[in-house]
Amino acid sequence: MKSKFIPQMDSVIKCIEDNDVFVVTSHVSPDGDNIGSTLGMHRFLEKIGKKVYHVLDDDIPSNLVFLSKEVEKITSTELNEENYVMLALDCGDEKRICTSDDVKRNASVRVCIDHHASNDASFCEINYIDSKASSTCELVYNIIRRYGDLKSEDYIDEVIASRLYTGLSTDTGNFQYSSTAPSSFEMAKVLLEHGAERDMIIQKLYQSNSPNYYRLLGDALNTLSIAEAPNGQLVASICVSIDMMKKHSIGYNDIDGITTYTRDIENVEVGIFLKEKRKGEIKISLRSKNDIDVSKIAMQFNGGGHVRAAGCTINDTIENAEKIIKERVLRAF
Ligand code: 5GP
Ligand code: MN
């Protein structure tokens, strides 16, 4: 199938054609779509002869390290370039871009490629934002396909296919969530045909937890608390403190998988996962099944995200944060 002309996408392609040096980056607390889309774009840009840096001031979660082995990740202070384009991928909010302010400010052009509903296109000069897309990997895929059609060449190789398949899988809950569209399956088909290593990716993403992760999960599930909304639907919350992570030697970026347990309970409409990043700083993940737009709740706390998956931060103790967010979630029913 031929790619479509999409004005925003074609401005990104023009910017890629017109420039030689690129910084690819994404949001704090990297996930599969973050690393997959950034490194998929990284490989594509290198293939067409561009100089590319992967800049990210955060740790890559252990289940995603396999994707980033062949690409050197640098931190903002290590970037030594004067004239570059910054590509911010999968980032709906300027505050969450995981580089220093200098790296953002010194870019000659800033480009945002993203699928968050809460992204108001206010922090980059060029924007390709489609909140209907399953993942940012799907937008990167559209760009690479479109560029290939324009040049009558196929740029997707096994490496790009595997990187993009990873983000497609994680952001669709491996093709379960409502964000999974017919186009997601079409993309998966093409990536598999191009050699995406699905079995390896699935094992790395979903079948490589450490025994200590399960011990922490046990403690986390013991904090489960359930509240009933006025319409009889349920709200579930789970908390993980720094002490719990320390006890089991599990890192802050390695526990995002726990979020789904809050939502996967019968009759639960909204799941809340609270994790303590630092004393007094609580990162909150919100998930919903059918009716509640959790991005609207997250935005009340300067966060954002998607209708069914969003996040924010509350600066308080974990106990207070749980009370505050639960009360706000119950008000949304
Ligand atoms: P998670 O709960 O997995 O951290 O995030 C769910 C979704 O909401 C992701 O798409 C993520 O990028 C977005 N998100 C999480 N936290 C924030 C936040 O503090 N601000 C914004 N704008 N988006 C967030
Ligand atoms: Mn994403």
Side-chain angles (χ1 to χ4, degrees):
M1 199 166 38
K2 279 268 165 218
S3 57
K4 277 189 297 218
F5 169 74
I6 299 171
Q8 292 179 314
M9 178 166 69
D10 279 46
S11 358
V12 177
I13 287 175
K14 182 164 184 333
C15 176
I16 289 173
E17 293 219 275
D18 291 349
N19 291 279
D20 297 318
V21 185
F22 294 83
V23 164
V24 290
T25 190
S26 187
H27 60 77
V28 291
S29 300
D31 57 18
D33 197 27
N34 168 322
I35 303 295
S37 63
T38 317
L39 298 189
M41 179 59 93
H42 188 288
R43 168 89 170 183
F44 164 65
L45 291 171
E46 277 194 341
K47 277 184 95 161
I48 61 170
K50 311 289 181 181
K51 194 166 180 191
V52 201
Y53 298 91
H54 179 212
V55 181
L56 201 72
D57 299 340
D58 204 345
D59 297 331
I60 296 182
S62 43
N63 69 342
L64 292 172
V65 166
F66 76 100
L67 263 196
S68 63
K69 275 198 190 123
E70 285 135 39
V71 180
E72 190 198 4
K73 176 176 89 61
I74 60 168
T75 55
S76 294
T77 49
E78 292 169 298
L79 182 69
N80 195 8
E81 278 288 344
E82 299 278 288
N83 199 358
Y84 58 88
V85 174
M86 184 182 83
L87 298 181
L89 293 128
D90 198 38
C91 207
D93 179 342
E94 184 169 15
K95 291 193 299 293
R96 298 190 83 223
I97 300 179
C98 197
T99 68
S100 67
D101 288 346
D102 279 349
V103 169
K104 291 179 214 167
R105 229 186 347 249
N106 296 341
S108 53
V109 185
R110 282 158 286 266
V111 179
C112 179
I113 303 169
D114 183 40
H115 71 128
H116 288 94
S118 52
N119 191 332
D120 62 1
S122 62
F123 55 93
C124 289
E125 291 81 31
I126 296 175
N127 292 281
Y128 173 30
I129 299 166
D130 180 357
S131 62
K132 288 196 221 67
S134 64
S135 53
T136 301
C137 278
E138 193 166 333
L139 303 179
V140 171
Y141 169 80
N142 291 345
I143 291 170
I144 300 175
R145 287 297 299 274
R146 173 83 178 148
Y147 194 89
D149 285 350
L150 295 171
K151 305 284 176 195
S152 301
E153 214 167 311
D154 186 356
Y155 292 97
I156 298 179
D157 57 19
E158 279 174 28
V159 175
I160 291 180
S162 290
R163 290 176 182 173
L164 298 183
Y165 195 94
T166 299
L168 179 64
S169 170
T170 56
D171 264 33
T172 59
N174 210 25
F175 306 98
Q176 287 181 68
Y177 303 156
S178 53
S179 58
T180 316
S183 60
S184 320
F185 290 106
E186 277 167 17
M187 171 177 163
K189 170 180 178 285
V190 173
L191 297 181
L192 291 171
E193 285 167 353
H194 282 75
E197 292 185 84
R198 184 197 36 202
D199 294 352
M200 182 273 288
I201 293 167
I202 296 300
Q203 282 177 27
K204 294 283 187 194
L205 292 178
Y206 309 115
Q207 298 166 356
S208 301
N209 293 318
S210 66
N212 269 4
Y213 172 80
Y214 284 97
R215 294 185 184 105
L216 171 67
L217 178 62
D219 286 358
L221 294 177
N222 271 324
T223 71
L224 175 67
S225 125
I226 305 275
E228 190 172 334
N231 66 357
Q233 288 180 313
L234 304 178
V235 173
S237 58
I238 287 177
C239 298
V240 170
S241 65
I242 292 173
D243 288 346
M244 287 160 77
M245 289 181 258
K246 268 202 194 138
K247 178 178 159 197
H248 298 293
S249 307
I250 298 288
Y252 172 84
N253 281 346
D254 285 329
I255 60 171
D256 283 350
I258 298 177
T259 308
T260 55
Y261 289 91
T262 62
R263 182 207 50 212
D264 292 352
I265 301 167
E266 191 179 22
N267 295 328
V268 163
E269 169 58 19
V270 177
I272 309 170
F273 177 49
L274 300 99
K275 53 178 186 169
E276 191 177 35
K277 187 165 188 178
R278 291 183 200 91
K279 284 284 167 213
E281 183 181 337
I282 312 301
K283 176 73 204 167
I284 295 173
S285 290
L286 299 168
R287 298 290 184 269
S288 67
K289 274 203 191 102
N290 297 302
D291 307 315
I292 302 292
D293 180 346
V294 286
S295 74
K296 287 198 180 135
I297 301 170
M299 281 157 81
Q300 293 172 29
F301 297 93
N302 293 321
H306 310 282
V307 176
R308 301 275 162 263
C312 59
T313 295
I314 292 181
N315 294 316
D316 209 322
T317 62
I318 199 158
E319 294 80 14
N320 286 346
E322 188 180 23
K323 273 190 211 127
I324 294 165
I325 190 72
K326 226 179 202 175
E327 189 264 332
R328 208 60 77 83
V329 166
L330 287 168
R331 255 200 257 163
F333 280 80

